[in-house]
Structure formats: structure tokens, C-alpha cells
Amino acid sequence: MRPEDLLIPTPKGLYCPPADAFIDPLRPVDRALVTHGHADHARPGNAAVMATPETIAIMAARYGEEFCRSRQPSPYGERQKVGDVAVSFHPAGHVLGSAQILLEWKGFRAVVSGDYKRAPDPTCAPFEVVPCDLFVTEATFGLPVFRHPDPAAEVEKLLDSVKLFPERAHLVGAYSLGKAQRLMLLLRQAGWDEPIHLHGAMVRVTEAYRALGVDVGETIQVAAAERPKLAGAIVICPPSALRELWARKFPDPVAVAASGWLRVRARARQGGVELPLVVSDHADWDELRRTIVDTGAGEIWVTHGEEDALVHWCGTSGLKARPLRLVGYGDEGEGESAGEEDAPSS
Amino acid sequence: MNRFAFLLDRLSYEPRRNAKIRLIADYFRETPDPERGWALAALTGALKFRHAKSGLIRGLIMERTDPVLFDLSYDFVGDLAETVALMWPGEPRANRTPPLSEIVDGLATTAKLDLPKRLETWLDALDETGRWALLKLITGSLRIGASARLAKTAVAALGAEVKPDDVELVWPGLEPPYEDLFAWVEGRGEKPFAEDPAPFRPPMLAHPLEDANFRAFDPKEFAAEWKWDGIRVQASAGTDGEGKHVARLWSRSGEDVSEAFPDLVEALTFDGAIDGELLILREGRVQTFNVLQQRLNRKSVTPKLLAEFPAHIRAYDLLFEGGEDLRELPFSERRKRLEAFVAREANHVVDISPLVAFDDWDGLAAARLDPASAGAGDDAAAVEGLMVKRRDSPYVVGRPKGLWFKWKHDPMTVDAVLMYAQRGHGRRSSFYSDYTFGVWREAGEGQELVPVGKAYFGFTDEELAELDRFVRRNTTNRFGPVREVVHTEDQGLVLEIAFEGIARSARHKSGVAMRFPRVSRIRWDKPTAEADRLESLEKLIAEREIA
């Protein structure tokens, strides 16, 4: 058999004929397998959705209980038959509930990674290597310039700045699902015991995390009238809010942002960021390459991001690889945050 | 080096001018001589290294990394120094971090053959920020939003009574690492002698007239002159303490551009300072900006270049005559002095920009629409509008309100179709921000799009994000870094392009070349089939040729 018998890239997303299901479909379909809750991968309106229980809870919190007609929760590691295919979900370490999807059919194993990272993240289960024949990988940070630093050291920069400017408010632009909660826990680990203030757009997902057992400590939703009084506070908001009128009512706000893109200086300047924190929920160049090798896959498909460099590297390493050039992924922050984590991918 | 790299890093993210000055001044306070002097030299662009160039950096990175991966990374990051700093596969070693002075000395004195080895050792010893700062020094363009003027202002801030202009005046007599300068501003030493006889004086700038309700003004209180489409310059010349005549040509932002214009500088035999426009004149006729740009683009100044592109200054104003500062005088007075000055000097590279006579605002509006019949004659194509100046205006540094106005021609516009996109550099790097656009022309049975130009500004950051997304989602083909974007009769994106001029060009496939094209509106609403046709551009050229 050929890998193309199991998976076909289509304008609606990756299609699996023997399961008659789409993975992370871009348009409503009858049966969707969803890797994680970010808006570019998990869209409302599908008839049936199979995902991890956490992802289903997150989709319900974001889109309302009516986000699909029927739900099939699939806890990590459990095999379920979809058509002729055995489907199982395995931790991807990207955000809470995020999964790689393993498809087993006629002795052939394909893994669709969704988005993933290998770096430790206290808000979600750590990435698990799933050996396979075909590995379909993301490549958001698929360039050798992307090497994510230690996130604890990045958060330390924020705390240093808070110490240096106690009279100013620190507004941290971060994507509301995953990045925000990870930052909260990183801050707690670094000893920040004060309440963390949240922009309204952050509240629903943070509550969903709490309900799923992720304790981020005390958070307070920012009330409009309270803004001028928040000197010395740390406020987490969508990146786009940094440039809005909303931000100006804080005492001499410092524009902080947390994203893997901020390793490129122009990115930070384009967003008007004064204090960039390079904290990413995606695999960096080294992690992408390590993961490809770890899976033992003989064939690599690269879905979205900087495909060209990763495909080139696979070639020089003797691995068969092709770019899928799927469009539509890489805008996790769309609507909420232009210029966020995944905005410039291909 | 770490402290200097940290300063550059902070500066690159700090948007506020005053905060930048504070950061630099703090650095000068905390850093001893000569280290801080070398930093000042770096910030003011006074460091030039003969052998250390971009090519050296490229050579090193090509040895250490895969060239394809380097090219893709450079295309994304858009800055050579930053790409290499981020990609450098440095192995942590117990290397000592070299101080800035050692690096500057090493770059200046190391023999060309030994330099790669030396640079590699430094790159291995430094962290990412340190590597970035070092490579920025070598490539010579810091691009951290800190001008030479800003650095000098920070030096002045070290002293109690020193103004930035005082630093500017003593500056040309000084050499890095400027120990005498720091000693003087900190009150530990004498004011450095050797005041510059040909210093830069910050120019006076104008507001757009559209912003002012000018019809309420009394036209008699104003004078008007052509706004020439060249480069605003200041020609400053005088005699130093030892009797030597010194002449310099300054850009609007205070960069010494004398080296690029030896033909002009050697003819500045006068003693004074002229504010004017740098133009190319051939047989007395002002050439378009296109022509001037061809001279500016050449790296080496050869006799052939000088003969082909003779540079010229068209004088607007006289700031100094001999040692006398005229800037407090009203414009009308300075104008008389300028007329006499230019007549007396009878200089073949300097002439005076004529005033445009008018009785009322309607008359001036007519002159703006038709410069050829209002006195500009054959040079009308090089006029980009009018300058309107209060007759009683003193020459004030900066952009004072209510004194000078610019009244530019309305730009021409064309609705074109986006055809190709490429990632930009600098501020717009990593976004698809360079757009090739085209218009329709007949082709066999139907019609086809022919590229007519490239635009890479005119949009807001939000619009850039939308355009970038459009490009990524509608890519139909890739040619290296260039993406072909869908452009058919029923699919694609129409951009309204504004431009300042248009001319025939043999170098372009379409036969036309635009001046200063930029995206003035994104026409999400407009079907591609309704974009403009090549004939309408050709008609615009024909109209201008007749005019």
C-alpha cells in the first residue's frame, strides 16, 4: 500500500478514506478528528467530533455546547475503530488536551502530530514519541534561527522588569488558550504569589483549565475602572489588546509579549513590543529534527509552517519528505490576536 | 562587549526618544573610557573597518551551516547580522568575553587573512545578543532607531550646561574614543578646540498645506517657490583656525555625504551655509529623480559617473554668511542675502531656486497645477509641488507650526492587481510585504496582466497582516523567495497604487516606470477584471510629455 491510500491532503484538510474522516478540517465535515482546541485546528459546525476529553471540554467552553452534533471522547492511549482504521490519541505537549493522532490500518502506522513541543509545560501532559511509518509534522518554527530559550529565564525577565518599574503595569500579550495558563504557572513557579490580572478574553479558557484540574492560583478579571490602579501588576491579555485603547488606561504600561516569533527582532518591533519573552508552545528547530528521528518514520510529510527548510533537512538526512502546503493552519490567534504565535506561517 | 550589546538590545526595543537618550546616557555614565568612546563611535557611524565586511560574515556562516538553510533563514529574518547571530552553531566554551575596545581594535588591525579566524573565536565566545551586536558593528548599519544626533544628545546630557548643538559644533574635530569630549562635558577638561568651520545645522521642515486652512491666510504675507524633486542637503563651508578651507555636504538628517559628491564639495569655495536641493543638471535642465537615483545607487564615484550625472545645488535659503548667523532674520531678509550671495559667488554648481509669483491663492493653485507655464518651464517634470513660506519666518530647527508649508502635487493612482509577493526587510521583515502589481493589456484572444511596478509601503501594520495572510492563502507558485499570488480575471486582489510620476522605461517589460509607488488602498471590494489597463498608464505619460 501507499501512504496516500491512508491520508490525502485536500482543501478541507487531511482526509483519511478508510476512516471517512478529516483531521482538523478547515470546513464543516461529517466526521472530524481534532488534535487540539486552537481555533485553526478545532472549528465548530462538524457533525461528529472525536478528540481528547480535554479538547472537547475546551471546544465546548469556547464555542458553546452545540459545537457539534455528536462527540466521541478519546482518552490518551485508547484505541477506537473509525471505519476500518484503529485511531488513538497521544500527548503532544502543545496545550492542555493536545494530541497526536495515530492511524493504524493494514499494519501501516501514520501519526499526525497536530502542533507539538518537547519542552516541559506544567499545564499539559508531556509529548510522547509514537513510532510510525509516516509522520505528518507541523513546522511552525522550522528554521534553524528558531531555538527557544529556557522559559523560566524568559519569565525571570518579566519579574526583573516588574521590580525595576514598580510604578508601571506590565501587560503581557499571550494567546488565551495555553500560552496564558502556561505563563501563569511559570510565574507561580518563579515565586510570583500576587493575583494575576486577566483581560476578559482570557477568563473563559482559564476557567475551563481550572475545571480540568490546572491550578493557576488567584486570578482577577480586570474591571475597567480599576485599570489606573494596577501599578506593579501583571496583566495577561490577547496580543492585539496591547495596541488598543484598553491598554492605555493602565499606569504607564509596559508592552510585553510571549511568543516564539519574538526571537526575530523585527517581529517584536512590528507589534510595538518593548519586552519580548520568547516562550513558545511549538517545537523549535532542534525539537522538530529530534522528533522526526525519534519516530523512526521512513516518510515525512510537513503540513504547515516553514516547510521548505525542514523538507530540505530531511533530504540531507536521507529521509523521504514532502511539503503538503496546507493552507489555513497557523492562525491560532486570528480574530483574537493579529500577529500572534502562528500568524506568519505558510 | 556584553554591556554594549545589552545597550543595543534595549535600544532596539525602546520606542520613546527620551528613554533612548536616558539609556545611552546611563551607559556612558557607567562605562569607563575608552570603552564608552568606542560605543559612541559605533552609534554615530564613525567606525569603518577595511577588511571586516558582510562578505566575511557570509563566508563564515556558509562554512558552518547548510547554504540552503541559511538562505531560507535569511529570507525570513531579513537581516544578515541577526540571521547569523541566531543560527551560529556556537558551542559553549570557557572563552573570555572580549571587551568592545578589543573587538574594535581587532577589527581595525587584524590582517585580512587572519580576520575570519579571529571573528570565529569572538562569535563562539559571545551569546546571541553579543553576536548580534558584533555583527551589526561589522555590517555598519545598527538600525536600532538611534541616530548620530541622538547619541550626541546623550553625550550632552552628561553635562550640566552642554547643549546637543555644542557637541555638534566640536564634533568634526574629534576622533574616537573621544576621551577629550567626555572630559569636557563632565567638567573635567577644556572644551575641545577645533570648532568645525563647516558644521551641520538641523534643517527647518514644513507641514503639509492640506492640514492648514490656508485660504484664511493673507497671501501677501507668504512667498512661494518650487519644491524640487531631489534630495534636501546643506552645503556648509568655512575656514578653520589654521587657515584651511573646509567644505562639507550634509544630508537632511545630519549625515556627512561629502564623499559621494566630490564634484560639489570642491566647488564650495565660499564661506557660509546653504540649504538647498541636490539635483542632477544636464545642459542646464533639471533631471528627474529617476536619474538622480542612478547616481545614488553607484557605490564607487568614478570620473565617468561624475561626467554622466553632474550634481548641482539649487539654493532655497542662506543660514550663515561668513561667521554671521542669519537664522533669526525673517525669510524675506535671508532671501535677499541669498540672492546677493549666489550672484557674488557665481558658482557653477549652485544656483538659486526662483520664487513663484502669485497674487492670490487661486493663482498659486493654478501654478501648482501647471508649473511649466508658471516659470518652471522645461524643468516642470522635476517639480513635485510648491513650498509656501511666511515672509517673516525665522529659520527654526525642526517642524515649527504655521511657518512653512509644502503643497505637493496630488498623487496619481491606478487600480492594479497583486501578482507576486516577497518578504520584506527591516521593519517589515518576515511578512510578505513587497508586492509586484500589474495591469491588463491585450494578449491574443483575451487579456493578460503585465507587471508595472513594485510597492512595499503605504499600508498600516494591520493591513500588512491582512495582506500577508492573503498572500499565504492564495499562493499558486513559488520561485525561490517569491510567491506567485492568484491573479486571474475572476480571482485575486486589487490594490490602489498611488505614485508621484510616471515615465517610459526600456528596462521594464511593460515599458513604463513609476516613481514612488505605494499602496494607497486595498480594494477588497473590487473584482480583478475591473482593474486598470496599460493604455491608461500610457495615456498619463503622453499627457505629461505634452505638458
Side-chain angles (χ1 to χ4, degrees), chain A residues 323-343:
Chain A
L324 297 189
R325 308 222 187 277
L326 293 182
V327 294
Y329 300 107
D331 286 309
E332 324 188 320
E334 196 176 359
E336 173 173 8
S337 53
E340 225 279 326
E341 180 89 339
D342 266 343

Side-chain angles (χ1 to χ4, degrees), chain B residues 393-468:
Chain B
S393 58
Y395 195 93
V396 188
V397 174
R399 209 183 292 274
K401 283 212 167 101
L403 298 179
W404 286 12
F405 300 95
K406 51 185 172 194
W407 196 10
K408 298 216 315 189
H409 291 322
D410 290 330
M412 294 174 256
T413 63
V414 62
D415 284 335
V417 181
L418 174 61
M419 298 177 72
Y420 305 94
Q422 205 172 343
R423 280 185 171 131
H425 287 250
R427 223 178 91 72
R428 290 176 296 272
S429 78
S430 85
F431 279 112
Y432 284 93
S433 64
D434 294 10
Y435 309 112
T436 301
F437 52 86
V439 292
W440 296 108
R441 74 168 169 200
E442 296 305 322
E445 300 286 283
Q447 55 178 4
E448 64 170 10
L449 283 166
V450 55
V452 287
K454 230 176 157 184
Y456 39 90
F457 62 101
F459 34 77
T460 64
D461 287 354
E462 281 73 25
E463 286 172 328
L464 173 57
E466 289 169 15
L467 286 166
D468 176 71

Side-chain angles (χ1 to χ4, degrees), chain B residues 352-522:
Chain B
I352 194 162
S353 182
L355 291 182
V356 179
F358 67 103
D359 298 320
D360 49 36
W361 297 121
D362 285 339
L364 192 62
R368 168 175 170 263
L369 290 178
D370 185 7
S373 3
D378 287 347
D379 294 337
V383 166
E384 59 164 343
L386 285 164
M387 292 298 302
V388 186
K389 301 177 176 177
R390 280 198 77 91
R391 288 181 186 277
D392 61 2
S393 58
Y395 195 93
V396 188
V397 174
R399 209 183 292 274
K401 283 212 167 101
L403 298 179
W404 286 12
F405 300 95
K406 51 185 172 194
W407 196 10
K408 298 216 315 189
H409 291 322
D410 290 330
M412 294 174 256
T413 63
V414 62
D415 284 335
V417 181
L418 174 61
M419 298 177 72
Y420 305 94
Q422 205 172 343
R423 280 185 171 131
H425 287 250
R427 223 178 91 72
R428 290 176 296 272
S429 78
S430 85
F431 279 112
Y432 284 93
S433 64
D434 294 10
Y435 309 112
T436 301
F437 52 86
V439 292
W440 296 108
R441 74 168 169 200
E442 296 305 322
E445 300 286 283
Q447 55 178 4
E448 64 170 10
L449 283 166
V450 55
V452 287
K454 230 176 157 184
Y456 39 90
F457 62 101
F459 34 77
T460 64
D461 287 354
E462 281 73 25
E463 286 172 328
L464 173 57
E466 289 169 15
L467 286 166
D468 176 71
R469 192 170 300 136
F470 181 86
V471 169
R472 286 186 286 112
R473 293 198 168 165
N474 294 281
T475 299
T476 52
N477 213 340
R478 302 179 190 215
F479 309 97
V482 179
R483 284 188 176 213
E484 184 175 33
V485 182
V486 62
H487 54 269
T488 63
E489 282 186 48
D490 29 53
Q491 266 187 299
L493 180 62
V494 175
L495 301 174
E496 182 185 279
I497 304 291
F499 53 100
E500 297 299 318
I502 185 161
R504 289 187 198 285
S505 162
R507 289 188 314 170
H508 293 79
K509 190 173 156 194
S510 62
V512 302
M514 290 175 185
R515 158 115 165 89
F516 219 49
R518 68 262 185 196
V519 177
S520 58
R521 269 201 297 170
I522 307 170

Side-chain angles (χ1 to χ4, degrees), chain A residues 99-346:
Chain A
Q100 314 168 66
I101 297 177
L102 168 65
L103 307 168
E104 295 172 271
W105 182 60
K106 296 185 178 175
F108 185 84
R109 290 162 64 90
V111 168
V112 180
S113 77
D115 292 333
Y116 65 96
K117 71 171 174 292
R118 305 290 298 263
D121 177 345
T123 66
C124 62
F127 180 93
E128 274 175 24
V129 174
V130 184
C132 55
D133 303 301
L134 166 67
F135 185 51
V136 183
T137 180
E138 64 138 326
T140 305
F141 290 112
L143 283 173
V145 291
F146 291 111
R147 289 202 172 84
H148 306 323
D150 174 15
E154 296 297 294
V155 163
E156 208 53 56
K157 285 186 196 165
L158 170 59
L159 292 178
D160 285 347
S161 179
V162 173
K163 254 182 244 147
L164 195 62
F165 302 111
E167 74 287 2
R168 305 174 71 181
H170 283 70
L171 308 191
V172 187
Y175 187 55
S176 68
L177 168 55
K179 185 68 63 62
Q181 294 77 25
R182 186 179 177 207
L183 282 176
M184 292 180 216
L185 278 185
L186 284 167
L187 281 165
R188 298 307 183 203
Q189 287 174 348
W192 181 259
D193 296 328
E194 308 282 319
I196 295 171
H197 299 263
L198 299 184
H199 182 284
M202 299 293 172
V203 173
R204 208 159 15 152
V205 176
T206 304
E207 287 312 317
Y209 263 60
R210 233 185 224 118
L212 291 164
V214 179
D215 177 14
V216 295
E218 191 189 347
T219 56
I220 300 177
Q221 183 174 353
V222 175
E226 294 292 310
R227 285 175 293 178
K229 300 178 200 159
L230 290 180
I234 295 177
V235 183
I236 303 184
C237 61
S240 58
L242 291 176
R243 293 189 300 270
E244 286 163 10
L245 197 60
W246 176 82
R248 289 188 220 152
K249 298 286 159 127
F250 292 91
D252 194 10
V254 181
V256 190
S259 163
W261 295 116
L262 299 174
R263 223 176 124 78
V264 175
R265 277 161 197 282
R267 282 272 155 184
R269 286 202 291 266
Q270 284 151 0
V273 174
E274 293 162 67
L275 179 61
L277 309 178
V278 183
V279 179
S280 174
D281 287 332
H282 291 271
D284 68 7
W285 175 249
D286 293 337
E287 292 172 28
L288 288 169
R289 292 185 303 165
R290 177 157 67 98
T291 306
I292 287 172
V293 172
D294 287 351
T295 62
E299 178 149 2
I300 311 299
W301 291 359
V302 185
T303 50
H304 62 282
E306 296 300 319
E307 308 101 299
D308 296 346
L310 201 58
V311 168
H312 173 79
W313 175 82
C314 287
T316 59
S317 309
L319 291 165
K320 195 175 162 199
R322 62 176 271 210
L324 297 189
R325 308 222 187 277
L326 293 182
V327 294
Y329 300 107
D331 286 309
E332 324 188 320
E334 196 176 359
E336 173 173 8
S337 53
E340 225 279 326
E341 180 89 339
D342 266 343
S345 63
S346 311

